[in-house]
């Protein structure tokens, strides 16, 4: 075994995957339950760093950061390297149907990919500071983001696909960076919490 420099875990539908970045410049997705390697990636440019994993029904999309810490590489399960974005990807989420994958970055930008092809559909300025969490509702038609600017923002996915990044709602009631976000599977209710121990329920 080669020494692992780091790992990032993602959980969805009772499946646990870990992105393991090795010192030889490769990265692997490991199924933690079975102990098997699901896919391996190799970057000839430099050593990958950890990034979030968006688990899809038929695969996954991986975000690994270059050692320069300025670029995120986007990888698909079977398509290999899909693209590179000029920022560090700080969070990722996919909708229940695997149609969309969203990624947030350390500079406040959001990215939306088509889950079936890995094509980048839109990139937009979502927050004034780093995006910490993002999540889709059960229908896959709503995307919610939150970040270090203490804001919770609700986006209509259809408008993002048409490259119109105008939010449905921008909530600014919290006073500290928003670090946690969860959407209920029913009733359209969301819960967010900030670093000053405040919580916000929205619908």
């Amino acid at each position: 075994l080669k020494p692992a420099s780091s790992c990032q875990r993602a959980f969805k539908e009772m499946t646990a995957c870990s992105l393991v970045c090795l010192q030889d410049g490769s990265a692997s997705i490991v199924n933690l339950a079975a102990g098997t390697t699901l896919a391996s990636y190799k970057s000839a440019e430099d050593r990958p760093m950890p990034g979030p994993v968006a688990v899809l029904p038929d695969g996954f999309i991986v975000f690994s950061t270059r050692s320069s810490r300025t670029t995120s590489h986007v990888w698909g399960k079977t398509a290999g390297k899909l693209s590179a974005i000029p920022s560090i990807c700080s969070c990722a989420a996919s909708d229940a149907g695997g149609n969309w994958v969203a990624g947030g970055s350390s500079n406040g930008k959001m990215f939306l990919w088509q889950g079936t092809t890995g094509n980048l559909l839109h990139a937009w300025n979502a927050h004034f500071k780093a995006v910490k969490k993002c999540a889709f509702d059960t229908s896959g038609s709503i995307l919610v983001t939150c970040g270090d600017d203490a804001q919770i923002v609700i986006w209509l996915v259809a408008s993002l696909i048409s490259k119109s990044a105008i939010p449905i709602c921008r909530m600014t009631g919290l006073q500290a960076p928003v670090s946690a976000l969860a959407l209920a599977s029913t009733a359209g209710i969301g819960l967010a919490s900030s670093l000053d121990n405040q919580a916000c329920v929205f619908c």
Side-chain angles (χ1 to χ4, degrees):
L1 295 177
K2 299 176 182 178
S5 59
S6 52
C7 67
Q8 179 76 25
R9 297 181 180 179
F11 297 88
K12 191 167 186 180
E13 296 180 356
M14 301 304 292
T15 299
C17 295
S18 176
L19 171 62
V20 179
C21 299
L22 303 178
Q23 293 180 353
D24 67 350
S26 64
S28 298
I29 291 288
V30 178
N31 185 313
L32 298 181
T36 56
T37 299
L38 304 178
S40 295
Y41 309 98
K42 176 71 175 179
S43 173
E45 299 172 10
D46 51 12
R47 183 169 59 88
M49 300 290 285
V53 180
V55 183
L56 306 179
D58 58 349
F60 38 75
I61 287 184
V62 179
F63 304 84
S64 71
T65 315
R66 291 177 57 176
S67 58
S68 61
R69 297 182 180 274
T70 59
T71 304
S72 290
H73 298 296
V74 183
W75 307 78
K77 179 180 180 181
T78 57
K81 187 173 180 179
L82 300 173
S83 62
I85 56 177
S87 56
I88 300 172
C89 196
S90 53
C91 61
S94 62
D95 73 312
N99 298 306
W100 322 114
V101 175
S105 70
S106 59
N107 62 8
K109 275 200 168 187
M110 283 294 302
F111 301 86
L112 181 68
W113 289 267
Q114 188 172 31
T116 53
T117 64
N119 293 331
L120 179 62
L121 300 176
H122 191 35
W124 72 100
N125 294 316
H127 289 263
F128 301 107
K129 295 182 179 180
V131 184
K132 286 300 186 182
K133 300 291 180 181
C134 59
F136 289 93
D137 73 337
T138 53
S139 69
S141 61
I142 297 293
L143 173 66
V144 182
T145 63
C146 63
D148 279 350
D149 57 2
Q151 296 188 4
I152 303 167
V153 189
I154 302 176
W155 311 88
L156 187 64
V157 173
S159 68
L160 298 176
I161 295 172
S162 63
K163 303 188 185 304
S164 174
I166 300 175
I168 299 174
C169 177
R170 187 179 290 272
M171 292 173 276
T172 59
L174 295 173
Q175 303 300 314
V178 184
S179 57
L181 173 69
L183 301 182
S185 57
T186 59
I189 297 176
L191 173 65
S193 64
S194 57
L195 292 179
D196 61 352
N197 297 321
Q198 299 296 310
C200 173
V201 178
F202 57 93
C203 58

